[in-house]
């Protein structure tokens, strides 16, 4: 699982990232295009822990690749690489299923730290690593052993980050959680990234768990954060 797919068309960046992730103990497979990345991924989808995807690529974009991988795999951690001018893309990337994004130019140390942070999320989720219990909240049941959320008995397909946000909500029903607390609890204490990723992940969660009639369970606490109501 300590295997990373790096898709980046700029050779110098791909090389730098690959070298440093290897030094940090990861096995790395690099690709210069989304098409080639998808090929590598499809050879052994379950073997990858993390995918690091540049957004701007010749041919298929990194966002498209992100969507394709996420559709089949809710377990893998996905981090997008984005240019500073692509603010819109960042949000879109997270909507298609990325867990995090890193803005270019980045410090390689920071990038490795972000991969480590997401990797910890993924490996914390291996069923043997914790004692299982069932958390019940209204129509929802969160099984911390299988890390599956069900609503009225129907499984909702969550990413690992979405799952961890739900776990935090379930442990704090009716409590207004500020965004910074959610960020630290889910992405880690030393997270350097942007707090907006909390909002994008919550937005995606709402699409999965709320009824079409509107927001009922994950309430926005304006200027503060979010509150779970069963
Ligand atoms: Ca590029």
């Amino acid at each position: 699982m300590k295997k990373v797919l790096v898709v980046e068309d700029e050779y110098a960046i791909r090389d730098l990232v690959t070298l440093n992730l290897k030094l940090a103990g990861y096995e790395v497979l690099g690709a210069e295009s989304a098409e080639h990345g998808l090929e590598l991924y499809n050879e052994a989808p379950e073997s990858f822990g993390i995918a690091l995807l540049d957004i701007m690529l010749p041919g298929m974009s990194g966002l498209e690749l992100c969507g394709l991988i996420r559709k089949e795999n809710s377990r893998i951690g996905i981090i997008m690489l984005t240019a500073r001018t692509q603010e819109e893309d960042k949000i879109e990337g997270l909507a298609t299923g990325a867990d995090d994004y890193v803005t270019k130019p980045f410090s390689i140390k920071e990038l490795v730290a972000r991969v480590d942070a997401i990797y910890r999320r993924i490996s914390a989720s291996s069923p043997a690593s914790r004692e299982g219990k069932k958390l019940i909240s209204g129509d929802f049941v969160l099984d911390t052993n299988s890390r599956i959320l069900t609503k009225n008995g129907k499984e909702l397909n969550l990413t690992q980050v979405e799952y961890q946000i739900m776990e935090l909500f379930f442990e704090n029903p009716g409590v207004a959680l500020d965004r910074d607390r959610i960020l630290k609890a889910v992405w880690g204490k030393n997270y350097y990234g942007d707090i907006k990723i909390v909002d994008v992940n919550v937005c995606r969660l709402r699409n999965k768990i709320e009824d079409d009639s509107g927001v009922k369970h994950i309430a926005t606490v304006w200027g503060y954060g979010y509150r779970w109501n069963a």
Side-chain angles (χ1 to χ4, degrees), residues 81-147:
L81 292 177
T82 170
R84 199 168 285 284
T85 51
Q86 294 169 316
E87 194 68 24
E88 290 297 309
D89 288 346
K90 283 181 194 171
I91 303 305
E92 204 190 316
L94 290 160
T96 62
D99 300 296
D100 196 5
Y101 62 83
V102 174
T103 306
K104 293 178 188 175
F106 50 81
S107 102
I108 188 66
K109 236 176 118 178
E110 183 188 325
L111 181 80
V112 172
R114 301 275 281 272
V115 171
D116 282 340
I118 296 292
Y119 182 74
R120 274 198 299 276
R121 303 293 111 199
I122 308 305
S123 39
S125 69
S126 74
S129 67
R130 54 186 302 155
E131 206 162 305
K133 57 180 190 247
K134 282 198 162 89
L135 302 171
I136 299 168
S137 189
D139 297 337
F140 298 87
V141 178
L142 195 71
D143 185 328
T144 63
N145 194 29
S146 60
R147 295 173 76 89

Side-chain angles (χ1 to χ4, degrees), residues 116-206:
D116 282 340
I118 296 292
Y119 182 74
R120 274 198 299 276
R121 303 293 111 199
I122 308 305
S123 39
S125 69
S126 74
S129 67
R130 54 186 302 155
E131 206 162 305
K133 57 180 190 247
K134 282 198 162 89
L135 302 171
I136 299 168
S137 189
D139 297 337
F140 298 87
V141 178
L142 195 71
D143 185 328
T144 63
N145 194 29
S146 60
R147 295 173 76 89
I148 287 173
L149 176 69
T150 55
K151 180 184 183 184
N152 297 318
K154 194 169 168 277
E155 184 180 336
L156 302 173
N157 194 16
L158 302 186
T159 69
Q160 291 302 320
V161 164
E162 290 163 357
Y163 169 84
Q164 300 221 343
I165 296 173
M166 287 308 296
E167 200 174 53
L168 186 66
F169 280 149
F170 270 51
E171 283 164 356
N172 299 280
V175 177
L177 298 173
D178 79 86
R179 293 149 88 226
D180 196 52
R181 179 167 165 200
I182 298 172
L183 186 76
K184 287 201 163 64
V186 176
W187 281 266
K189 280 197 178 58
N190 301 314
Y191 183 76
Y192 306 87
D194 191 329
I195 194 135
K196 263 186 280 183
I197 60 168
V198 173
D199 302 320
V200 182
N201 273 277
V202 165
C203 172
R204 210 166 58 210
L205 254 176
R206 276 180 174 150

Side-chain angles (χ1 to χ4, degrees), residues 67-84:
L68 287 174
I69 292 177
R70 182 55 89 205
K71 211 166 64 186
E72 306 289 327
N73 188 338
S74 59
R75 244 187 133 71
I76 193 169
I78 304 180
I79 303 172
M80 305 305 296
L81 292 177
T82 170
R84 199 168 285 284

